[in-house]
Amino acid sequence: MNSRIKSVDNLSFEGKKALVRVDFNVPLDANFNVTDDTRIEAALPTIEKILSDGGSVILMSHLGRPKGGADEKFSLKHILLDLEKSLDRKVKFAPDCIGDEAVQLSAALKPGEILLLENLRFYKEETAGDPEFSKKLASLGDIYVNDAFGTAHRAHASTAVVADYFNDKVCGYLMQSELENADKVLEKPERPFTAIMGGAKISDKILIIEKLLDKVDNLIIGGGMSYTFAKAKGGKIGDSLLEADRMELTKELEAKAKAKGVNLYLPVDNITSKEFANDAEQGVANSGEIPDGWMGLDIGEESRKIFAEVIKNSKTILWNGPMGVFEMSSFDKGTKAVADALVEATENGAFSLIGGGDSAAAINKFGYGEKVSFVSTGGGALLEHMEGKVLPGVKALEP
Ligand SMILES: Nc1ncnc2c1ncn2[C@@H]1O[C@H](COP(=O)(O)OP(=O)(O)O)[C@@H](O)[C@H]1O
Ligand SMILES: O=C(OP(=O)(O)O)[C@H](O)COP(=O)(O)O
């Protein structure tokens, strides 16, 4: 981790009010119930540390991407009960993240008490990184703590600019462990090092794939993005996902992999379907031989075997993006096979890091959360960190 930044362990919070940026951007169902509380649970150690020092905690976060002011749908009060249950404590709520009430509630906080502020993104000044807005937030606390790794790639008021107004600014335990685990993969990984990339879009992941070619021994590409590779080679992909404007790029990536001596594995067979539906008619097709009217929605049995073998023989594994439409049980076998191999490799001593919202959801769906080395709470943040970009939320904590 960046040796210039301090963590919560370097300070005592006794008698202090800590303004803590967390990433409580969690998924909600139609009734506004939290469907995955991983990010809430992940913030608990930092909160507990501050409270046990004798401090109080003011939590601030965004939820979703509200447009144009306060919007009930994106209120953080939807997560309040979940947070209280996780902490086993009462949490106060400020219905506005700045203003008189927030100031009064913060000022009245006693040691051991927690206040949650309403969604920061109800103000456009948050994403704009407005200094005046940042100053108002800063006035609520004595010490700034950033534990929002999932949002550390954003240079927003609460993730970066606010730090300018504090002498004491530190990272929380989650931020610290996210950075340390990413570094295990980035710096001197044990070999063989295998990266598994999947998911829907090449365009989202192109930078990281290029960067990884300098580091990995094996690169496995599955999921929706693999069909653009197949099409670029002259194959037939039917109605499978295609990013036509990225076809040239896939050829360049293949050439780069070859030049760097990286083994590139693409699916050799696919589970196909007539429709994007769990119960639609299914088939199997070799890669590059998917008939018109069919789409590839998962990797096939032979691909699963090949990928699993490579993964099981690896000592460092990075996984980002599912192998198929794992949300539907008919198309989750490729993703499950990769997850199984990853767990086996981890049991045999490999270090496995899983990043990306959907890969983490897949790991949790299969009940493997505790069986892999580290599941990152970051999607975009992890990828940008791995691409070698300096995360604004981390940079802001430097003295
Ligand atoms: N063959 C495919 N066709 C269509 N969608 C796919 C396919 N394979 C994977 N996906 C979809 O890709 C999505 C995940 O992509 P992405 O957001 O890039 O992953 P992550 O969040 O792990 O980074 C999932 O919703 C999954 O259903
Ligand atoms: O969920 C998040 O990012 P992710 O979807 O990349 O994991 C973060 O909370 C950042 O949210 P944003 O992408 O709206 O800035």
Side-chain angles (χ1 to χ4, degrees), residues 2 39 61 92-93 140 143 155 159 165 176 181 183 187 233 248 250 252 275 283 330 333 341 358 363-364 367-368:
N2 183 336
R39 283 180 169 172
S61 177
K92 295 174 196 248
F93 184 70
L140 303 177
I143 298 175
T159 59
Y165 299 94
Q176 186 175 4
N181 280 290
D183 287 349
E187 294 165 12
K233 283 201 263 233
E248 272 311 304
T250 64
E252 286 167 29
E275 281 168 61
S330 300
K333 291 177 195 64
D358 283 304
I363 279 285
N364 289 332
Y368 291 163

Side-chain angles (χ1 to χ4, degrees), residues 251-315:
K251 289 192 207 160
E252 286 167 29
L253 281 179
E254 292 212 48
K256 269 189 203 165
K258 204 168 174 193
K260 290 178 192 289
V262 174
N263 303 309
L264 179 65
Y265 297 90
L266 287 156
V268 294
D269 56 354
N270 309 272
I271 304 298
T272 56
S273 179
K274 283 249 184 193
E275 281 168 61
F276 195 81
N278 199 32
D279 52 3
E281 189 185 344
Q282 288 176 36
V284 177
N286 288 332
S287 290
E289 296 174 16
I290 300 177
D292 290 343
W294 291 80
M295 62 184 96
L297 293 184
D298 197 6
I299 58 173
E301 203 175 332
E302 191 56 29
S303 310
R304 282 176 234 152
K305 278 191 205 145
I306 297 170
F307 290 4
E309 207 48 37
V310 176
I311 295 164
K312 284 188 220 165
N313 288 314
S314 303
K315 284 275 172 259

Side-chain angles (χ1 to χ4, degrees), residues 198-200 205 223-224 227 241 276 296-297 320-325 327 356-359:
K205 300 190 180 171
Y227 301 103
L241 274 189
F276 195 81
L297 293 184
N320 181 288
M323 295 291 103
V325 186
E327 296 94 335
D358 283 304
S359 322

Side-chain angles (χ1 to χ4, degrees), residues 96-117:
D96 192 350
C97 64
I98 54 169
D100 290 347
E101 197 172 352
V103 170
Q104 279 158 18
L105 285 165
S106 302
L109 271 191
K110 297 191 198 68
E113 290 187 335
I114 306 165
L115 172 69
L116 173 65
L117 304 179

